[in-house]
Amino acid sequence: MTAAPDSYCVMGNPVAHSRSPWIHARFAALTDQALQYDRCLAPLDGFATALAGFAAAGGQGCNITVPFKLEAAQAAARQSPRVALAGAANTLARQSDGSWYADNTDGLGLVADITRNAGVALAGKDILLIGAGGAAAGVLGPLLEQSPRRIVVCNRTAAKAEALVAQHAELAARQNVVLQAQAQQALDGDFDVVINGTAASLQGAGVPVPATVLRPGSLAYDMMYGPAAAAFLDWAALHGATGRDGLGMLVEQAAESFALWRGVRPPSALVLAELRALLATEAAH
């Protein structure tokens, strides 16, 4: 008898929209890896129970999406340095003793998409990061490691932005980056790169910052993709910025997770091109 393929999932709420199963199926096909990858909808108050159930059924790894990235970090017996810094995890891998190892590949995926796929260097630039939740926490460290000139973190609740900045102050000093927290209501200045790390688009809320944060030709990047990113991208285009959705980040962070789980690096650029073509075809119908 042939052993059942290893089981993986994306766990979140909501999760029905996730393209992760398609992405990992393509990675597996292109690298000759046998695995099964599904969506797992966890109750908003039941992440730990859902994770335990997945583990009991033999699950070997999870991608974690909103709103469970902070809980995922706490659920792991071991954490990567990225998780220890961010306090948030988007990837869990089963260890030989059955416990979970947590990593955060979000920031690696974001940086790869901006610098490699979009061709925008971050060194010496002024960056605005909107949000201070799990998504923003996961990318701030890797953004700092690109040695921009300045990063401003803004959030509706200023105290959360201040806490995230304090968490990363030592890394910012090592990288010689000016790192500041500002309240959304009191944002000052404009930026080369504006990154939306909030779930405002999922909730149908408007763009959470004024257009004065944009410079002509600024990169305005929404970590969401598809319809959820449309309002932010329309806003960027209206004000002379270059909009980019988070589809490339999704594929690149998935590639990092896949490499952690399987020890094989998949062809992420090819899969991103395929996925964009698929989405364009779907939109046309």
Side-chain angles (χ1 to χ4, degrees):
M1 288 180 61
T2 306
D6 288 344
S7 175
Y8 300 89
C9 77
V10 55
M11 190 173 291
N13 189 327
V15 80
H17 67 286
S18 176
R19 296 286 176 165
S20 292
W22 186 92
I23 293 168
H24 284 279
R26 287 300 293 141
F27 286 168
L30 292 166
T31 57
D32 295 321
Q33 294 288 306
L35 58 85
Q36 178 179 331
Y37 190 108
D38 301 300
R39 296 179 183 89
C40 179
L41 178 67
L44 290 174
D45 60 352
F47 172 75
T49 301
L51 183 62
F54 179 69
Q60 293 300 303
C62 305
N63 285 126
I64 308 296
T65 187
V66 293
F68 300 123
K69 294 182 180 185
L70 303 178
E71 286 184 71
Q74 295 159 7
R78 284 181 57 231
Q79 300 178 340
S80 73
R82 283 185 290 269
V83 172
L85 179 61
N90 80 324
T91 303
L92 295 174
R94 284 290 286 285
Q95 301 182 107
S96 56
D97 66 357
S99 65
W100 292 108
Y101 170 76
D103 200 356
N104 198 315
T105 66
D106 278 338
L108 301 178
L110 174 67
V111 167
D113 190 46
I114 291 175
T115 60
R116 193 164 66 226
N117 299 331
V120 175
L122 295 173
K125 299 292 180 64
D126 294 331
I127 300 174
L128 174 65
L129 178 60
I130 310 166
V139 303
L140 183 52
L143 286 171
L144 285 166
E145 287 171 348
Q146 293 297 299
S147 297
R149 189 179 79 88
R150 176 174 68 125
I151 297 180
V152 171
V153 179
C154 80
N155 192 61
R156 195 161 39 88
T157 308
K160 283 187 73 176
E162 289 161 4
L164 189 59
V165 163
Q167 234 170 288
H168 289 75
E170 187 179 325
L171 176 59
R174 283 205 307 271
Q175 296 295 124
N176 198 28
V177 179
V178 176
L179 179 60
Q180 302 166 322
Q182 292 185 12
Q184 277 174 206
Q185 305 87 332
L187 260 177
D188 184 34
D190 52 17
F191 301 86
D192 300 298
V193 179
V194 176
I195 300 169
N196 184 19
T198 73
S201 47
L202 273 182
Q203 297 155 1
V207 175
V209 293
T212 51
V213 302
L214 297 171
R215 297 172 180 169
S218 291
L219 176 65
Y221 193 105
D222 197 319
M223 289 193 207
M224 299 292 178
Y225 59 92
F232 188 83
L233 300 186
D234 289 347
W235 169 80
L238 183 65
H239 296 288
T242 300
R244 187 174 179 85
D245 70 6
L247 197 68
M249 174 183 173
L250 176 72
V251 173
E252 294 292 352
Q253 65 80 22
E256 297 288 345
S257 298
F258 190 90
L260 173 66
W261 293 331
R262 310 300 297 181
V264 178
R265 183 158 293 279
S268 54
L270 171 61
V271 173
L272 175 57
E274 291 179 349
L275 183 54
R276 285 212 185 275
L278 174 65
L279 294 184
T281 301
E282 290 178 356
H285 292 82

